[in-house]
Amino acid sequence: MPASPEPPAQPTLPLPLPLATPAHLKPLLHALTGNTSAPADVLLRLSVADIDRRGLARRPDLPGDVAAALAAVPDWSVRSELAGNPHLPAAVQRALADDDDPRVRSRLAEGAEYFSTFGPRGNRLPDPLPYEVYELLARDPAPKVRRALAFNRHLPDGLRSRLLDDPDPRTAALTAEEWPHVPGRRIEEFLTRGTGGFSRELLLCHLDGPLPAETARALLADIGSPANVSSTGGSPVDASPAGDSRDTSLMRKIAEVAALDAELTGRLLAHPDLRPGLAANPTLDPRHIAELAGDADNGVRAAVVARRGLDPALRESIPVTYEERSSAVVNWLLTEELSEQEQSAYARSRHQILRKTLALRPGLSDEVVRILADDESFAVRLFVCERQPNAPGPLLARIAEQWTGYSRRDMLAHPNFPADAADRLARSGEPQDRAVAAAHPGLSSERIEALLVDAEAPVRHRAATNGAIEASRLVELLAGADTAVASGAAANPRLPAAAMRLVLDQAGW
């Protein structure tokens, strides 16, 4: 019978670690709170220590006993961070719903969102809270908590409907504003209250159909001061709407969602400030669409281009200039079911906003990503790198060399990022480049060792987090006198758990 294979040898740990001062130990403890391979017993010991408990509370893999320990910490800010963690056991969520501090209950009520790195990078909703927790929060005596609950996208419709009649007007208004499927009759009710405690424009965004023409007329007549109404007794659309930008924005939204008839269309067409909203209105008579497609205003033409269901030939014939740094997208293009042929057509569109929006969609094919990767717009190419798991390696390398924004490190963590490009950045004369590249697992051991003795502490720290470093070498780095390197080693997931426990032992925790 063949002999069983020998288990891999564990690195020898120096006893004790030659860590000279508490000032040296503290950064190591901080780093351990974020080490993704730290076992439950290490995390529990860290929860007792008063070292970055807020960071510990944010961990997505927080064990239940650690979460329970943090829920009992006297510092409300730690409990608030914990309440924002979407990965807690139900028992801890129930305890936080009964927390003495309304700031903690508000954070729980609001609901958590977290970021994924690729495919796509962006907000993803966590699982809902237990129903009994929502019940507790909906009855909370503090209006601040109930207002926060209005923002929770998982709030059950029955409880949300109850909040529409909350005795606190602001709670009721926020509920109406934030409910994507608020019943149409309730929207019209809130629109006619005119209390000023809510945003009519946000309410109009939640309509699941056109706003009745008569309601639109009543709203237009109610907007602004008497000075905005013409001497003939008409609504503010009969005068220039340029006096109050908020009123103008609201009237433009009304123009976008109203169920248009000939009379209302004519009045709205007469005012250039309202034409962008009118150009986006799905009930607009088709004979006016071509007219607006040739409007002198770039914003009006852009609104026509962004219409759902517009004839593709007409869309491509409309000249529009787009600001490269604009955050505007075409919302329906993010969710519309599109064939491969349609995606390819949008990827080749003359309109940057369509190509940029397409680059944000998950699940694009290699062919569509290839088209977008060669786009003339930097914003489109950047979004491909930030959102697409099949972004080409050469594009990731080019963008990382040009881009200094928050997502640059994510690009180097992308599985397609080329090792040779990371090596070039690691040899850069710019410390920021070296720090960004230092954690790339494709670097050679010689390059990593060079970065571990770099003149800049952030570079040395980042290099010590590199996942290609062997466990035995990490133990040596952890025991070294350089705090930047030792704390990087403490954060490295390949660090043996025994070494983590040794740091806690020496710190007295």
Side-chain angles (χ1 to χ4, degrees):
M1 183 174 177
S4 300
E6 291 291 328
Q10 294 298 310
T12 302
L13 302 179
L15 294 172
L17 288 173
L19 305 175
T21 65
H24 186 69
L25 276 170
K26 189 172 182 179
L28 272 62
L29 295 172
H30 271 282
L32 286 180
T33 64
N35 191 311
T36 56
S37 66
D41 66 294
V42 167
L43 295 179
L44 188 59
R45 291 172 68 178
L46 286 167
S47 71
V48 177
D50 190 13
I51 301 287
D52 196 20
R53 286 192 287 203
R54 295 174 64 183
L56 190 63
R58 290 191 290 268
R59 285 183 65 112
D61 58 348
L62 202 59
D65 54 351
V66 180
L70 292 173
V73 168
D75 184 349
W76 74 269
S77 67
V78 173
R79 304 196 309 276
S80 180
E81 290 289 351
L82 187 67
N85 190 325
H87 308 286
L88 301 178
V92 174
Q93 291 172 329
R94 284 192 291 271
L96 293 170
D98 280 326
D99 195 277
D100 291 337
D101 197 310
R103 292 172 292 187
V104 175
R105 304 196 305 273
S106 295
R107 187 66 190 87
L108 180 69
E110 186 175 351
E113 293 184 353
Y114 62 98
F115 289 98
S116 62
T117 304
F118 296 107
R121 179 185 176 90
N123 287 334
R124 292 194 331 198
L125 292 176
D127 292 335
L129 299 170
Y131 186 84
E132 63 185 292
V133 172
Y134 285 123
E135 278 273 14
L136 281 171
L137 296 169
R139 296 195 306 268
D140 197 283
K144 174 182 180 178
V145 176
R146 304 196 303 278
R147 292 174 187 175
L149 191 60
F151 291 94
N152 192 303
R153 300 187 191 181
H154 280 307
L155 183 63
D157 285 354
L159 295 178
R160 201 180 292 270
S161 183
R162 184 195 304 174
L163 290 180
L164 286 175
D165 297 311
D166 195 274
D168 173 51
R170 186 63 183 144
T171 298
L174 285 171
T175 301
E177 291 172 11
E178 297 299 326
W179 191 358
H181 308 295
V182 59
R185 61 180 178 80
R186 300 306 303 268
I187 288 183
E188 292 192 39
E189 171 194 330
F190 273 86
L191 288 172
T192 55
R193 284 187 188 179
T195 64
F198 57 89
S199 165
R200 291 176 173 183
E201 190 171 345
L202 279 176
L203 286 176
L204 291 173
C205 290
H206 295 320
L207 283 171
D208 56 3
L211 182 70
E214 288 308 313
T215 305
R217 289 188 182 90
L219 281 173
L220 290 169
D222 188 47
I223 294 171
S225 67
N228 286 350
V229 183
S230 74
S231 59
T232 60
S235 77
V237 246
D238 297 315
S240 171
D244 189 321
S245 61
R246 289 173 299 179
D247 286 349
T248 302
S249 180
L250 174 56
M251 286 189 285
R252 188 176 292 176
K253 188 64 184 179
I254 293 170
E256 181 181 334
V257 300
L260 298 169
D261 54 28
E263 187 272 338
L264 187 55
T265 300
R267 291 166 60 193
L268 295 170
L269 276 171
H271 293 276
D273 284 341
L274 305 186
R275 285 188 175 194
L278 193 64
N281 192 308
T283 69
L284 182 65
D285 191 310
R287 62 195 174 97
H288 294 299
I289 295 175
E291 173 190 346
L292 292 174
D295 196 276
D297 188 283
N298 189 71
V300 175
R301 301 195 305 275
V304 174
V305 164
R307 287 178 64 92
R308 178 190 265 112
L310 187 68
D311 177 70
L314 175 59
R315 176 179 280 125
E316 290 303 303
S317 73
I318 303 171
V320 177
T321 301
Y322 297 98
E323 290 290 336
E324 182 75 359
R325 292 181 175 272
S326 170
S327 60
V329 295
V330 180
N331 289 324
W332 59 263
L333 189 54
L334 291 171
T335 56
E336 191 94 341
E337 286 197 22
L338 301 173
S339 67
E340 179 78 12
Q341 183 179 4
E342 288 171 323
Q343 290 186 21
S344 295
Y346 284 121
R348 293 184 170 93
S349 171
R350 71 181 292 179
H351 297 294
Q352 183 250 29
I353 195 170
L354 299 179
R355 307 191 309 270
K356 181 174 69 173
T357 304
L358 188 68
L360 298 174
R361 282 178 64 109
L364 296 181
S365 69
D366 291 346
E367 174 62 17
V368 172
V369 167
R370 183 192 64 77
I371 297 169
L372 294 173
D374 290 329
D375 199 275
E376 64 182 11
S377 165
F378 179 82
V380 173
R381 302 195 304 272
L382 175 64
F383 284 178
V384 168
C385 292
E386 290 183 340
R387 297 296 185 99
Q388 301 304 325
N390 50 349
L395 176 65
L396 288 162
R398 288 199 308 273
I399 296 297
E401 289 175 354
Q402 304 169 33
W403 177 242
T404 58
Y406 68 92
S407 60
R408 194 181 188 209
R409 287 192 175 187
D410 291 337
M411 290 178 202
L412 268 82
H414 195 294
N416 292 348
F417 196 91
D420 60 342
D423 188 71
R424 284 197 303 273
L425 284 173
R427 290 182 281 113
S428 167
E430 292 293 328
Q432 184 187 50
D433 289 348
R434 301 197 302 276
V436 165
H440 193 280
L443 294 179
S444 66
S445 58
E446 292 79 10
R447 182 67 57 207
I448 295 171
E449 289 297 326
L451 293 170
L452 287 169
V453 293
D454 194 274
E456 301 292 332
V459 178
R460 301 196 303 275
H461 173 86
R462 180 92 168 145
T465 69
N466 195 300
I469 301 176
E470 295 292 337
S472 57
R473 178 63 174 137
L474 284 175
V475 172
E476 294 174 4
L477 298 175
L478 185 71
D482 187 333
T483 302
V485 172
S487 61
N492 195 309
R494 296 194 68 179
L495 183 70
M500 300 182 194
R501 297 184 184 105
L502 201 58
V503 173
L504 286 163
D505 291 342
Q506 186 152 343
W509 296 105

